[in-house]
Amino acid sequence: MGQAIGPCADRNGICFLNSDLSSGGDPKRAARAIDALRRGWSIRIEHEGEIIRIAAVETAVSVLGASSLLLSASRAATLKLVNQRAAANTELPVRIAIPADFDIGMALAIADPTLDLRYPLKGPFLAQPATGAPACVAAMELARLAGLLPAFLVLDVDLSTDDIVVPADVCAFDDSDNLQIAARANLPVAANADTEIVAFRSPADSTDHVALVIGKRDSSPPVVRLHSECLTGDVLGSLKCDCGPQLHEALHQISDAQWGILLYLRQEGRGIGLINKLRAYALQDQGFDTVDANTRLGFAIDARDFSVAARMLDLLGVHSVRLLTNNPEKVAGLQAEGVEVCERLPLQIASNPHNAQYLATKRDRTGHAL
């Protein structure tokens, strides 16, 4: 009998109910599957006798062997599709049969919401029976981890060279328990010359997170800032968000305290990756706010994993913090991982004409205290 699946309030929008699918998973298998998808290769996801062979629409070079498309629930809803099964879970991915004239261009037009204005007429499509739910959900999470659109060609061909992955591997890949300190060194920065940089890495994931430990450590709770990577804001000075100014203001506020830590988390675009973040920007240019842009792409409103931050703090021997944030989810996320947040400190940044709506959305739709 298959594992029950249903919606829940985790960062992926879906979780595996009544089971612990992370048990026995191999994150290295998930890492190989992610690499294969990014390269345009096919993979095979297996779960309790159910097998689905997929290739990412975004990187596939042809549709040879494809019999159907697997789309995220939110993308399917935009296309007015539902699972073809009585009492089906509307939060689950949807499979559709491909039309006779199907090619890569059509696949991308179906998969990418940023192309809807260019290709407004799509369908009608025939939704297929929803089977192998854990494998389909695992595919959506692999897309997020790979920074790809959550859309796949479902292949009939059986390739012995396919990388094989099971849902437990995908769950294990996000397991922050494997994160370890990889290197550390003194790093004088403009805000404070008395700073140490500490780098963290997990065996499966090549993503490196870093911490800046600023000032003279003592027994008091440090001022801590969780800052998610934002290339456009932190490096290029984007005016569309407040990330760059927040980063530099946080460094100065930590420097003004007795001591503190800035955790620089490699979770670009609230966990959906740089390319998908830029797609979200394109949707914002079409009139969608940041929340609707993420969900229209097929991702959670916020897909970040704050257990990574908790693990970093644990490795640094920090279990109680004064958290510098306007985001209540960061407070809740750290507390859920056993980190005591003894005080929340606000981080006030002035708006500009380009990010005023962005800040209003954070306040009104995700509960930020601005």
Side-chain angles (χ1 to χ4, degrees), residues 85-131:
R85 174 174 288 185
N89 187 336
T90 58
E91 296 296 325
L92 291 177
V94 174
R95 286 178 66 166
I96 61 171
I98 60 175
D101 57 347
F102 188 71
D103 60 15
I104 282 294
M106 182 184 294
L108 285 170
I110 295 170
D112 189 347
T114 66
L115 301 178
D116 283 349
L117 294 181
R118 190 185 307 175
Y119 306 106
L121 299 178
K122 289 184 274 289
F125 301 110
L126 175 64
Q128 297 180 327
T131 59

Side-chain angles (χ1 to χ4, degrees), residues 106-190:
M106 182 184 294
L108 285 170
I110 295 170
D112 189 347
T114 66
L115 301 178
D116 283 349
L117 294 181
R118 190 185 307 175
Y119 306 106
L121 299 178
K122 289 184 274 289
F125 301 110
L126 175 64
Q128 297 180 327
T131 59
C136 293
V137 172
M140 296 296 116
E141 177 63 358
L142 284 171
R144 184 190 71 82
L145 293 168
L148 300 172
L149 285 168
F152 296 93
L153 301 169
V154 181
L155 308 173
D156 283 339
V157 294
D158 185 2
L159 301 176
S160 59
T161 56
D162 280 349
D163 282 288
I164 300 172
V165 67
V166 299
D169 301 333
V170 182
C171 293
F173 184 85
D174 270 356
D175 186 357
S176 61
D177 290 344
N178 292 318
L179 200 68
Q180 298 293 337
I181 293 176
R184 60 199 309 163
N186 292 326
L187 182 71
V189 297

